[in-house]
Amino acid sequence: MDRFSFLNAAHTAFFADLYDQYLQNPDTVEPSWRSFFQGFDFANEFASPVEQLTAMASGNTTVTENAEKILKEFNVLKLIEGYRTRGHLFTKTNPVRERRIHSPNLAIENFGLSQADRNTVFDAAKMLNMKPSSLDEIIKHLENVYCSSIGVEYMYIRNPEIQDWIKNRLDINDNQPSFTADQKKNILGKLNEAVSFETFLHAKYVGQKRFSLEGCEAAIPALDALIVAAAEKGVEQFVMGMAHRGRLNVLANIFGKNSQNIFSEFDGKDYDDDMYFDGDVKYHLGLTSDRVTDSGKKIKLEFST
């Protein structure tokens, strides 16, 4: 039986109406149909997608012969979606041991593709801001972006504009940032500050509640870079609020709170009016400070209570 014979039973007007709906608002179309139409859009050598679908439903032999390639385009789209959704599960973030096995994995066979397709050029590469490329080139790009030493998980975000912004940013440099020597030194310096702060608290105040930042020290150089970049773009005020975990580290190494004051709070510093504070007051205090970047830009920092 012809593998596409099921289309002969479909009403061609249904395809046309559904495609019109897809053109007006893709999000209102069922996901599998949305992928279906996206695949047809890649097939530039054909007539309009509505005409393709109508011809296929009518048993057009020429279209049927090319349908295999179109279906392969769909499968490459599914592969791209697979990396975006699950790639973080296969990142190389642990230098000591291999990642535990997750199933299903991102093998191309799980997406209806085979080793014979590796040298085939697919238009689906345009979804990655690439020119039409071979499957091997597409996979190399996806591995660099989603399965290298930086994990990325963002497909849960419900705002499609934010999703698209992240996708485009990741595709610019294969998620492989290139830092200058000075930038690397600054990142290392802020990381050392974050680690040293936590190490001292752990050694000096054993057993005390401290909501450590350990395991997320990269937040310190990240926040520092964010504030500097904001100031360079003309932002005059930076307001931040956060939960207890890592709060003291951020106060000390981002907002410039005197470390001696933080340590004295661990030692039981008295306040003039205790009625306004509870037992872990140091985690509820805010701070206002001014920051001047290396280029002379000024920005006001406010840490919310």
Side-chain angles (χ1 to χ4, degrees), residues 268-288:
K269 175 181 178 181
D270 292 329
Y271 290 88
D272 294 336
D273 195 344
D274 290 339
M275 67 178 289
Y276 294 109
F277 305 112
D278 62 14
D280 61 348
V281 60
K282 53 186 168 294
Y283 297 105
H284 294 159
L285 294 177
L287 187 74
T288 298

Side-chain angles (χ1 to χ4, degrees), residues 79-121:
L79 177 67
I80 293 172
E81 192 75 3
Y83 270 90
R84 287 172 171 170
T85 304
R86 308 189 71 243
H88 63 281
L89 299 176
F90 304 94
T91 50
K92 305 172 184 65
T93 54
N94 192 329
V96 178
R97 61 175 175 81
E98 294 292 329
R99 262 208 180 265
R100 69 184 181 88
I101 298 174
H102 290 277
S103 183
N105 58 29
L106 297 172
I108 59 176
E109 288 78 11
N110 292 331
F111 298 89
L113 300 165
S114 69
Q115 298 300 317
D117 298 316
R118 283 190 169 272
N119 294 322
T120 302
V121 173

Side-chain angles (χ1 to χ4, degrees), residues 165-181:
W165 185 89
I166 295 174
K167 291 174 187 175
N168 292 331
R169 293 293 298 180
L170 292 173
D171 289 334
I172 290 175
N173 61 358
D174 281 14
N175 196 19
Q176 307 290 317
S178 177
F179 298 112
T180 65

Side-chain angles (χ1 to χ4, degrees), residues 192-204:
N192 284 337
E193 289 176 7
V195 173
S196 299
F197 183 86
E198 297 298 340
T199 301
F200 179 82
L201 289 185
H202 180 68
K204 178 69 174 178

Side-chain angles (χ1 to χ4, degrees), residues 29 69 112 124 138 186 201 207 222 224 259 270:
V29 179
K69 182 180 186 303
I138 292 172
N186 187 63
L201 289 185
D224 182 69
S259 297
D270 292 329

Side-chain angles (χ1 to χ4, degrees), residues 2-293:
D2 190 318
R3 62 183 297 188
F4 302 108
S5 60
F6 70 95
L7 289 169
N8 294 327
H11 199 290
T12 56
F14 168 74
F15 291 128
D17 292 342
L18 197 59
Y19 183 69
D20 286 338
Q21 180 183 342
Y22 162 77
L23 290 178
Q24 295 175 17
N25 190 348
D27 291 337
T28 63
V29 179
E30 196 274 329
S32 62
W33 275 110
R34 187 164 62 244
S35 296
F36 187 73
F37 290 129
Q38 287 172 343
F40 274 99
D41 286 342
F42 286 126
N44 296 321
E45 69 269 27
F46 295 105
S48 72
V50 173
E51 293 171 342
Q52 294 173 46
L53 293 168
T54 303
M56 186 179 289
S58 302
N60 185 290
T61 304
T62 303
V63 175
T64 302
E65 290 174 352
N66 289 279
E68 184 69 30
K69 182 180 186 303
I70 297 174
L71 288 175
K72 291 287 187 180
E73 293 279 3
F74 295 160
N75 292 339
V76 175
L77 287 174
K78 291 178 183 177
L79 177 67
I80 293 172
E81 192 75 3
Y83 270 90
R84 287 172 171 170
T85 304
R86 308 189 71 243
H88 63 281
L89 299 176
F90 304 94
T91 50
K92 305 172 184 65
T93 54
N94 192 329
V96 178
R97 61 175 175 81
E98 294 292 329
R99 262 208 180 265
R100 69 184 181 88
I101 298 174
H102 290 277
S103 183
N105 58 29
L106 297 172
I108 59 176
E109 288 78 11
N110 292 331
F111 298 89
L113 300 165
S114 69
Q115 298 300 317
D117 298 316
R118 283 190 169 272
N119 294 322
T120 302
V121 173
F122 291 98
D123 290 327
K126 295 176 183 177
M127 293 291 288
L128 301 169
N129 295 318
M130 300 170 63
K131 64 181 181 180
S133 306
S134 69
L135 181 58
D136 261 344
E137 292 172 325
I138 292 172
I139 292 174
K140 181 180 179 181
H141 174 80
L142 292 170
E143 285 284 332
N144 286 338
V145 173
Y146 297 102
C147 299
S148 189
S149 57
I150 301 176
V152 183
E153 186 179 9
Y154 63 92
M155 292 300 287
Y156 62 88
I157 298 174
R158 303 187 64 154
N159 188 323
E161 292 182 0
I162 296 177
Q163 274 196 16
D164 289 340
W165 185 89
I166 295 174
K167 291 174 187 175
N168 292 331
R169 293 293 298 180
L170 292 173
D171 289 334
I172 290 175
N173 61 358
D174 281 14
N175 196 19
Q176 307 290 317
S178 177
F179 298 112
T180 65
D182 287 340
Q183 287 175 322
K184 290 179 180 179
K185 291 176 183 177
N186 187 63
I187 291 171
L188 178 61
K190 299 306 289 186
L191 281 174
N192 284 337
E193 289 176 7
V195 173
S196 299
F197 183 86
E198 297 298 340
T199 301
F200 179 82
L201 289 185
H202 180 68
K204 178 69 174 178
Y205 304 104
V206 179
Q208 285 205 41
K209 179 171 56 178
R210 62 186 179 92
F211 301 107
S212 172
L213 186 64
E214 288 173 319
C216 196
E217 291 90 346
I220 298 301
L223 284 170
D224 182 69
L226 177 64
I227 291 170
V228 171
E232 293 298 325
K233 291 185 178 295
V235 175
E236 297 179 351
Q237 185 180 31
F238 181 89
V239 181
M240 179 177 174
M242 65 181 294
H244 283 13
R245 176 163 154 75
R247 187 180 179 96
L248 297 182
N249 205 314
V250 171
L251 275 168
N253 293 315
I254 296 297
F255 287 80
K257 183 171 183 176
N258 190 305
S259 297
Q260 184 177 350
N261 290 341
I262 296 177
F263 301 150
S264 65
E265 288 161 6
F266 270 98
D267 292 328
K269 175 181 178 181
D270 292 329
Y271 290 88
D272 294 336
D273 195 344
D274 290 339
M275 67 178 289
Y276 294 109
F277 305 112
D278 62 14
D280 61 348
V281 60
K282 53 186 168 294
Y283 297 105
H284 294 159
L285 294 177
L287 187 74
T288 298
S289 62
D290 294 312
R291 169 81 180 268
V292 179
T293 67

